[in-house]
Amino acid sequence: MTLKIISAQEIVFEGEVTSVTLPGTVGAFTVLQNHASLISTLSAGKIVYKPADAAEPVVTEISGGIVDVDNNIVSVCLY
């Protein structure tokens, strides 16, 4: 699946991942391939994702945002 993490200043990450864990406002949740469509707000915390071509997960600290999951595309807009 494709993960896109963007802010007003830059594209933080765009690429293929096998999983992504996000800090939802009512609790953290993980998105995997073929996840149901959803839109959620994000609170301050960590996004943890595993790039398809990497052995180790990547951690990105955020202060909040929103996420849209649809058709194996996870789009994160950061505040």
Side-chain angles (χ1 to χ4, degrees):
M1 79 185 145
T2 302
L3 172 63
K4 300 176 184 180
I5 304 173
I6 61 170
S7 70
Q9 296 80 24
E10 64 180 327
I11 296 173
V12 177
F13 176 83
E14 184 172 0
E16 293 298 309
V17 299
T18 57
S19 68
V20 58
T21 300
L22 301 147
T25 52
V26 294
F29 61 96
T30 300
V31 177
L32 300 172
Q33 185 80 10
N34 298 320
H35 195 284
S37 296
L38 68 86
I39 296 174
S40 177
T41 54
L42 302 174
S43 61
K46 297 177 183 178
I47 297 176
V48 181
Y49 57 93
K50 182 155 182 328
D53 60 354
E56 296 296 318
V58 177
V59 178
T60 300
E61 290 277 341
I62 67 166
S63 58
I66 59 170
V67 61
D68 174 57
V69 178
D70 192 38
N71 290 328
N72 289 316
I73 298 174
V74 181
S75 302
V76 179
C77 295
L78 302 177
Y79 297 148

mmCIF file of all heavy atoms in Angstrom, residues 34-78:
data_model
loop_
_atom_site.group_PDB
_atom_site.id
_atom_site.type_symbol
_atom_site.label_atom_id
_atom_site.label_comp_id
_atom_site.label_asym_id
_atom_site.label_seq_id
_atom_site.Cartn_x
_atom_site.Cartn_y
_atom_site.Cartn_z
ATOM 1 N N ASN A 34 -5.332 -3.626 2.206
ATOM 2 C CA ASN A 34 -6.773 -3.867 2.023
ATOM 3 C C ASN A 34 -7.625 -3.471 3.235
ATOM 4 O O ASN A 34 -8.709 -4.020 3.446
ATOM 5 C CB ASN A 34 -7.036 -5.330 1.646
ATOM 6 C CG ASN A 34 -6.389 -5.685 0.333
ATOM 7 O OD1 ASN A 34 -6.395 -4.904 -0.612
ATOM 8 N ND2 ASN A 34 -5.797 -6.861 0.263
ATOM 9 N N HIS A 35 -7.159 -2.499 4.020
ATOM 10 C CA HIS A 35 -7.927 -1.997 5.167
ATOM 11 C C HIS A 35 -9.199 -1.311 4.668
ATOM 12 O O HIS A 35 -9.220 -0.744 3.578
ATOM 13 C CB HIS A 35 -7.070 -0.995 5.945
ATOM 14 C CG HIS A 35 -7.577 -0.682 7.310
ATOM 15 N ND1 HIS A 35 -8.652 0.136 7.536
ATOM 16 C CD2 HIS A 35 -7.158 -1.092 8.541
ATOM 17 C CE1 HIS A 35 -8.867 0.234 8.838
ATOM 18 N NE2 HIS A 35 -7.975 -0.511 9.470
ATOM 19 N N ALA A 36 -10.245 -1.359 5.458
ATOM 20 C CA ALA A 36 -11.480 -0.655 5.130
ATOM 21 C C ALA A 36 -11.224 0.848 5.060
ATOM 22 O O ALA A 36 -10.346 1.373 5.742
ATOM 23 C CB ALA A 36 -12.537 -0.949 6.197
ATOM 24 N N SER A 37 -11.999 1.530 4.243
ATOM 25 C CA SER A 37 -11.869 2.982 4.111
ATOM 26 C C SER A 37 -12.236 3.657 5.426
ATOM 27 O O SER A 37 -13.150 3.220 6.130
ATOM 28 C CB SER A 37 -12.793 3.498 3.016
ATOM 29 O OG SER A 37 -12.408 2.980 1.762
ATOM 30 N N LEU A 38 -11.481 4.732 5.755
ATOM 31 C CA LEU A 38 -11.785 5.496 6.958
ATOM 32 C C LEU A 38 -11.152 6.869 6.878
ATOM 33 O O LEU A 38 -10.212 7.104 6.116
ATOM 34 C CB LEU A 38 -11.320 4.778 8.235
ATOM 35 C CG LEU A 38 -9.820 4.619 8.504
ATOM 36 C CD1 LEU A 38 -9.245 5.835 9.206
ATOM 37 C CD2 LEU A 38 -9.589 3.408 9.383
ATOM 38 N N ILE A 39 -11.699 7.770 7.696
ATOM 39 C CA ILE A 39 -11.120 9.095 7.908
ATOM 40 C C ILE A 39 -11.072 9.286 9.418
ATOM 41 O O ILE A 39 -12.031 8.977 10.118
ATOM 42 C CB ILE A 39 -11.963 10.209 7.259
ATOM 43 C CG1 ILE A 39 -11.977 10.046 5.741
ATOM 44 C CG2 ILE A 39 -11.428 11.590 7.648
ATOM 45 C CD1 ILE A 39 -12.894 11.011 5.029
ATOM 46 N N SER A 40 -9.930 9.770 9.932
ATOM 47 C CA SER A 40 -9.778 9.940 11.376
ATOM 48 C C SER A 40 -8.911 11.148 11.680
ATOM 49 O O SER A 40 -8.046 11.520 10.886
ATOM 50 C CB SER A 40 -9.133 8.686 11.982
ATOM 51 O OG SER A 40 -8.919 8.846 13.371
ATOM 52 N N THR A 41 -9.133 11.736 12.837
ATOM 53 C CA THR A 41 -8.232 12.769 13.332
ATOM 54 C C THR A 41 -7.097 12.086 14.090
ATOM 55 O O THR A 41 -7.263 10.989 14.624
ATOM 56 C CB THR A 41 -8.964 13.757 14.259
ATOM 57 O OG1 THR A 41 -9.605 13.027 15.301
ATOM 58 C CG2 THR A 41 -9.997 14.564 13.481
ATOM 59 N N LEU A 42 -5.956 12.751 14.121
ATOM 60 C CA LEU A 42 -4.777 12.220 14.797
ATOM 61 C C LEU A 42 -4.350 13.171 15.907
ATOM 62 O O LEU A 42 -4.410 14.390 15.741
ATOM 63 C CB LEU A 42 -3.623 12.047 13.800
ATOM 64 C CG LEU A 42 -3.893 11.143 12.602
ATOM 65 C CD1 LEU A 42 -2.714 11.183 11.631
ATOM 66 C CD2 LEU A 42 -4.174 9.723 13.052
ATOM 67 N N SER A 43 -3.911 12.606 17.010
ATOM 68 C CA SER A 43 -3.403 13.413 18.115
ATOM 69 C C SER A 43 -1.878 13.419 18.087
ATOM 70 O O SER A 43 -1.265 12.743 17.259
ATOM 71 C CB SER A 43 -3.925 12.857 19.449
ATOM 72 O OG SER A 43 -3.478 11.529 19.623
ATOM 73 N N ALA A 44 -1.290 14.166 18.981
ATOM 74 C CA ALA A 44 0.176 14.179 19.084
ATOM 75 C C ALA A 44 0.655 12.778 19.435
ATOM 76 O O ALA A 44 0.044 12.076 20.233
ATOM 77 C CB ALA A 44 0.618 15.171 20.149
ATOM 78 N N GLY A 45 1.742 12.369 18.812
ATOM 79 C CA GLY A 45 2.287 11.033 19.059
ATOM 80 C C GLY A 45 3.242 10.615 17.965
ATOM 81 O O GLY A 45 3.872 11.454 17.328
ATOM 82 N N LYS A 46 3.285 9.304 17.729
ATOM 83 C CA LYS A 46 4.233 8.754 16.761
ATOM 84 C C LYS A 46 3.504 7.993 15.660
ATOM 85 O O LYS A 46 2.593 7.217 15.935
ATOM 86 C CB LYS A 46 5.191 7.788 17.447
ATOM 87 C CG LYS A 46 6.056 8.426 18.496
ATOM 88 C CD LYS A 46 6.916 7.396 19.182
ATOM 89 C CE LYS A 46 7.730 8.049 20.298
ATOM 90 N NZ LYS A 46 8.535 7.067 21.024
ATOM 91 N N ILE A 47 3.931 8.254 14.417
ATOM 92 C CA ILE A 47 3.532 7.410 13.296
ATOM 93 C C ILE A 47 4.666 6.412 13.115
ATOM 94 O O ILE A 47 5.828 6.799 13.004
ATOM 95 C CB ILE A 47 3.328 8.218 11.999
ATOM 96 C CG1 ILE A 47 2.193 9.227 12.163
ATOM 97 C CG2 ILE A 47 3.065 7.285 10.825
ATOM 98 C CD1 ILE A 47 2.001 10.126 10.958
ATOM 99 N N VAL A 48 4.330 5.132 13.101
ATOM 100 C CA VAL A 48 5.331 4.082 12.909
ATOM 101 C C VAL A 48 4.954 3.328 11.645
ATOM 102 O O VAL A 48 3.856 2.774 11.552
ATOM 103 C CB VAL A 48 5.372 3.106 14.109
ATOM 104 C CG1 VAL A 48 6.431 2.040 13.889
ATOM 105 C CG2 VAL A 48 5.620 3.864 15.406
ATOM 106 N N TYR A 49 5.859 3.339 10.653
ATOM 107 C CA TYR A 49 5.568 2.636 9.405
ATOM 108 C C TYR A 49 6.765 1.800 8.980
ATOM 109 O O TYR A 49 7.900 2.090 9.321
ATOM 110 C CB TYR A 49 5.155 3.604 8.304
ATOM 111 C CG TYR A 49 6.151 4.690 7.987
ATOM 112 C CD1 TYR A 49 7.087 4.515 6.977
ATOM 113 C CD2 TYR A 49 6.140 5.895 8.674
ATOM 114 C CE1 TYR A 49 8.000 5.520 6.672
ATOM 115 C CE2 TYR A 49 7.039 6.897 8.379
ATOM 116 C CZ TYR A 49 7.964 6.706 7.374
ATOM 117 O OH TYR A 49 8.871 7.688 7.078
ATOM 118 N N LYS A 50 6.463 0.733 8.239
ATOM 119 C CA LYS A 50 7.507 -0.165 7.755
ATOM 120 C C LYS A 50 7.556 -0.071 6.244
ATOM 121 O O LYS A 50 6.679 -0.597 5.556
ATOM 122 C CB LYS A 50 7.233 -1.598 8.182
ATOM 123 C CG LYS A 50 8.346 -2.527 7.731
ATOM 124 C CD LYS A 50 8.453 -3.741 8.566
ATOM 125 C CE LYS A 50 9.585 -4.645 8.155
ATOM 126 N NZ LYS A 50 9.943 -4.687 6.777
ATOM 127 N N PRO A 51 8.577 0.627 5.703
ATOM 128 C CA PRO A 51 8.725 0.689 4.251
ATOM 129 C C PRO A 51 8.895 -0.719 3.675
ATOM 130 O O PRO A 51 9.508 -1.587 4.290
ATOM 131 C CB PRO A 51 9.994 1.519 4.049
ATOM 132 C CG PRO A 51 10.109 2.336 5.304
ATOM 133 C CD PRO A 51 9.579 1.430 6.393
ATOM 134 N N ALA A 52 8.330 -0.935 2.497
ATOM 135 C CA ALA A 52 8.362 -2.255 1.867
ATOM 136 C C ALA A 52 9.779 -2.749 1.623
ATOM 137 O O ALA A 52 10.035 -3.947 1.651
ATOM 138 C CB ALA A 52 7.569 -2.219 0.559
ATOM 139 N N ASP A 53 10.726 -1.833 1.416
ATOM 140 C CA ASP A 53 12.106 -2.218 1.090
ATOM 141 C C ASP A 53 13.068 -2.078 2.279
ATOM 142 O O ASP A 53 14.278 -2.084 2.107
ATOM 143 C CB ASP A 53 12.613 -1.406 -0.089
ATOM 144 C CG ASP A 53 12.604 0.094 0.187
ATOM 145 O OD1 ASP A 53 12.102 0.514 1.247
ATOM 146 O OD2 ASP A 53 13.092 0.839 -0.675
ATOM 147 N N ALA A 54 12.529 -1.950 3.502
ATOM 148 C CA ALA A 54 13.386 -1.756 4.677
ATOM 149 C C ALA A 54 13.131 -2.852 5.711
ATOM 150 O O ALA A 54 12.028 -3.389 5.802
ATOM 151 C CB ALA A 54 13.131 -0.389 5.303
ATOM 152 N N ALA A 55 14.164 -3.159 6.476
ATOM 153 C CA ALA A 55 14.041 -4.186 7.507
ATOM 154 C C ALA A 55 13.465 -3.625 8.802
ATOM 155 O O ALA A 55 12.802 -4.330 9.550
ATOM 156 C CB ALA A 55 15.407 -4.815 7.772
ATOM 157 N N GLU A 56 13.741 -2.368 9.079
ATOM 158 C CA GLU A 56 13.323 -1.747 10.339
ATOM 159 C C GLU A 56 12.211 -0.722 10.115
ATOM 160 O O GLU A 56 12.204 -0.016 9.104
ATOM 161 C CB GLU A 56 14.514 -1.043 10.991
ATOM 162 C CG GLU A 56 15.634 -1.985 11.402
ATOM 163 C CD GLU A 56 15.197 -2.959 12.480
ATOM 164 O OE1 GLU A 56 14.497 -2.532 13.417
ATOM 165 O OE2 GLU A 56 15.563 -4.138 12.379
ATOM 166 N N PRO A 57 11.292 -0.591 11.078
ATOM 167 C CA PRO A 57 10.263 0.442 10.966
ATOM 168 C C PRO A 57 10.846 1.842 11.168
ATOM 169 O O PRO A 57 11.898 2.000 11.775
ATOM 170 C CB PRO A 57 9.278 0.090 12.079
ATOM 171 C CG PRO A 57 10.015 -0.800 13.008
ATOM 172 C CD PRO A 57 11.121 -1.442 12.239
ATOM 173 N N VAL A 58 10.122 2.830 10.660
ATOM 174 C CA VAL A 58 10.508 4.233 10.777
ATOM 175 C C VAL A 58 9.507 4.912 11.711
ATOM 176 O O VAL A 58 8.303 4.671 11.616
ATOM 177 C CB VAL A 58 10.506 4.924 9.391
ATOM 178 C CG1 VAL A 58 10.828 6.404 9.522
ATOM 179 C CG2 VAL A 58 11.467 4.222 8.448
ATOM 180 N N VAL A 59 10.007 5.771 12.599
ATOM 181 C CA VAL A 59 9.152 6.477 13.558
ATOM 182 C C VAL A 59 9.208 7.968 13.249
ATOM 183 O O VAL A 59 10.288 8.546 13.118
ATOM 184 C CB VAL A 59 9.612 6.221 15.008
ATOM 185 C CG1 VAL A 59 8.748 6.999 15.984
ATOM 186 C CG2 VAL A 59 9.603 4.736 15.324
ATOM 187 N N THR A 60 8.029 8.587 13.136
ATOM 188 C CA THR A 60 7.926 10.024 12.892
ATOM 189 C C THR A 60 7.046 10.637 13.970
ATOM 190 O O THR A 60 5.897 10.208 14.150
ATOM 191 C CB THR A 60 7.308 10.301 11.501
ATOM 192 O OG1 THR A 60 8.131 9.713 10.500
ATOM 193 C CG2 THR A 60 7.189 11.785 11.238
ATOM 194 N N GLU A 61 7.568 11.616 14.700
ATOM 195 C CA GLU A 61 6.804 12.323 15.729
ATOM 196 C C GLU A 61 5.895 13.353 15.054
ATOM 197 O O GLU A 61 6.330 14.075 14.154
ATOM 198 C CB GLU A 61 7.739 13.053 16.682
ATOM 199 C CG GLU A 61 8.532 12.148 17.587
ATOM 200 C CD GLU A 61 7.767 11.700 18.818
ATOM 201 O OE1 GLU A 61 6.750 12.346 19.182
ATOM 202 O OE2 GLU A 61 8.172 10.688 19.401
ATOM 203 N N ILE A 62 4.631 13.415 15.502
ATOM 204 C CA ILE A 62 3.701 14.411 14.956
ATOM 205 C C ILE A 62 3.005 15.143 16.098
ATOM 206 O O ILE A 62 2.934 14.649 17.222
ATOM 207 C CB ILE A 62 2.666 13.774 14.008
ATOM 208 C CG1 ILE A 62 1.713 12.831 14.763
ATOM 209 C CG2 ILE A 62 3.353 13.056 12.859
ATOM 210 C CD1 ILE A 62 0.486 12.439 13.963
ATOM 211 N N SER A 63 2.464 16.323 15.770
ATOM 212 C CA SER A 63 1.716 17.076 16.771
ATOM 213 C C SER A 63 0.213 16.988 16.529
ATOM 214 O O SER A 63 -0.569 17.531 17.296
ATOM 215 C CB SER A 63 2.164 18.543 16.769
ATOM 216 O OG SER A 63 1.983 19.098 15.499
ATOM 217 N N GLY A 64 -0.191 16.302 15.472
ATOM 218 C CA GLY A 64 -1.603 16.115 15.163
ATOM 219 C C GLY A 64 -1.844 16.178 13.677
ATOM 220 O O GLY A 64 -0.951 16.531 12.896
ATOM 221 N N GLY A 65 -3.053 15.818 13.263
ATOM 222 C CA GLY A 65 -3.388 15.858 11.850
ATOM 223 C C GLY A 65 -4.643 15.060 11.556
ATOM 224 O O GLY A 65 -5.446 14.772 12.450
ATOM 225 N N ILE A 66 -4.796 14.690 10.281
ATOM 226 C CA ILE A 66 -5.900 13.846 9.851
ATOM 227 C C ILE A 66 -5.361 12.779 8.919
ATOM 228 O O ILE A 66 -4.295 12.945 8.309
ATOM 229 C CB ILE A 66 -7.020 14.650 9.144
ATOM 230 C CG1 ILE A 66 -6.478 15.383 7.922
ATOM 231 C CG2 ILE A 66 -7.695 15.611 10.094
ATOM 232 C CD1 ILE A 66 -7.557 15.997 7.062
ATOM 233 N N VAL A 67 -6.085 11.656 8.820
ATOM 234 C CA VAL A 67 -5.688 10.573 7.927
ATOM 235 C C VAL A 67 -6.902 10.124 7.135
ATOM 236 O O VAL A 67 -8.029 10.094 7.642
ATOM 237 C CB VAL A 67 -5.063 9.382 8.693
ATOM 238 C CG1 VAL A 67 -6.045 8.774 9.672
ATOM 239 C CG2 VAL A 67 -4.543 8.320 7.731
ATOM 240 N N ASP A 68 -6.662 9.787 5.871
ATOM 241 C CA ASP A 68 -7.671 9.221 4.989
ATOM 242 C C ASP A 68 -7.117 7.906 4.456
ATOM 243 O O ASP A 68 -6.000 7.879 3.924
ATOM 244 C CB ASP A 68 -7.976 10.183 3.832
ATOM 245 C CG ASP A 68 -8.910 9.568 2.810
ATOM 246 O OD1 ASP A 68 -10.012 9.149 3.195
ATOM 247 O OD2 ASP A 68 -8.531 9.494 1.621
ATOM 248 N N VAL A 69 -7.858 6.823 4.630
ATOM 249 C CA VAL A 69 -7.466 5.512 4.116
ATOM 250 C C VAL A 69 -8.491 5.112 3.070
ATOM 251 O O VAL A 69 -9.688 5.051 3.363
ATOM 252 C CB VAL A 69 -7.419 4.452 5.241
ATOM 253 C CG1 VAL A 69 -7.052 3.085 4.678
ATOM 254 C CG2 VAL A 69 -6.457 4.864 6.335
ATOM 255 N N ASP A 70 -8.037 4.832 1.841
ATOM 256 C CA ASP A 70 -8.953 4.447 0.771
ATOM 257 C C ASP A 70 -8.188 3.740 -0.332
ATOM 258 O O ASP A 70 -7.185 4.272 -0.834
ATOM 259 C CB ASP A 70 -9.671 5.677 0.220
ATOM 260 C CG ASP A 70 -10.835 5.328 -0.677
ATOM 261 O OD1 ASP A 70 -11.555 4.348 -0.386
ATOM 262 O OD2 ASP A 70 -11.031 6.028 -1.685
ATOM 263 N N ASN A 71 -8.632 2.556 -0.707
ATOM 264 C CA ASN A 71 -8.044 1.788 -1.814
ATOM 265 C C ASN A 71 -6.536 1.623 -1.684
ATOM 266 O O ASN A 71 -5.791 1.863 -2.640
ATOM 267 C CB ASN A 71 -8.389 2.419 -3.160
ATOM 268 C CG ASN A 71 -9.851 2.270 -3.505
ATOM 269 O OD1 ASN A 71 -10.488 1.290 -3.136
ATOM 270 N ND2 ASN A 71 -10.404 3.246 -4.196
ATOM 271 N N ASN A 72 -6.077 1.223 -0.503
ATOM 272 C CA ASN A 72 -4.655 0.976 -0.235
ATOM 273 C C ASN A 72 -3.778 2.223 -0.377
ATOM 274 O O ASN A 72 -2.581 2.119 -0.628
ATOM 275 C CB ASN A 72 -4.122 -0.166 -1.094
ATOM 276 C CG ASN A 72 -4.675 -1.490 -0.647
ATOM 277 O OD1 ASN A 72 -4.729 -1.773 0.545
ATOM 278 N ND2 ASN A 72 -5.093 -2.316 -1.593
ATOM 279 N N ILE A 73 -4.379 3.388 -0.190
ATOM 280 C CA ILE A 73 -3.628 4.650 -0.125
ATOM 281 C C ILE A 73 -3.942 5.284 1.219
ATOM 282 O O ILE A 73 -5.095 5.541 1.556
ATOM 283 C CB ILE A 73 -3.991 5.613 -1.262
ATOM 284 C CG1 ILE A 73 -3.650 4.978 -2.607
ATOM 285 C CG2 ILE A 73 -3.256 6.947 -1.088
ATOM 286 C CD1 ILE A 73 -4.107 5.782 -3.812
ATOM 287 N N VAL A 74 -2.887 5.498 2.028
ATOM 288 C CA VAL A 74 -3.013 6.114 3.339
ATOM 289 C C VAL A 74 -2.436 7.517 3.223
ATOM 290 O O VAL A 74 -1.240 7.687 3.018
ATOM 291 C CB VAL A 74 -2.261 5.310 4.420
ATOM 292 C CG1 VAL A 74 -2.417 5.963 5.779
ATOM 293 C CG2 VAL A 74 -2.739 3.849 4.440
ATOM 294 N N SER A 75 -3.303 8.536 3.313
ATOM 295 C CA SER A 75 -2.885 9.936 3.179
ATOM 296 C C SER A 75 -2.972 10.615 4.531
ATOM 297 O O SER A 75 -4.059 10.687 5.118
ATOM 298 C CB SER A 75 -3.775 10.663 2.176
ATOM 299 O OG SER A 75 -3.738 10.030 0.916
ATOM 300 N N VAL A 76 -1.831 11.108 5.009
ATOM 301 C CA VAL A 76 -1.759 11.791 6.305
ATOM 302 C C VAL A 76 -1.418 13.256 6.059
ATOM 303 O O VAL A 76 -0.425 13.570 5.412
ATOM 304 C CB VAL A 76 -0.686 11.149 7.216
ATOM 305 C CG1 VAL A 76 -0.606 11.889 8.541
ATOM 306 C CG2 VAL A 76 -0.978 9.666 7.443
ATOM 307 N N CYS A 77 -2.262 14.156 6.582
ATOM 308 C CA CYS A 77 -1.999 15.588 6.525
ATOM 309 C C CYS A 77 -1.700 16.048 7.947
ATOM 310 O O CYS A 77 -2.541 15.895 8.840
ATOM 311 C CB CYS A 77 -3.197 16.348 5.984
ATOM 312 S SG CYS A 77 -3.581 15.950 4.279
ATOM 313 N N LEU A 78 -0.508 16.603 8.144
ATOM 314 C CA LEU A 78 -0.078 17.021 9.475
ATOM 315 C C LEU A 78 -0.419 18.470 9.724
ATOM 316 O O LEU A 78 -0.392 19.301 8.822
ATOM 317 C CB LEU A 78 1.438 16.816 9.613
ATOM 318 C CG LEU A 78 1.945 15.396 9.385
ATOM 319 C CD1 LEU A 78 3.460 15.369 9.470
ATOM 320 C CD2 LEU A 78 1.323 14.429 10.371
#
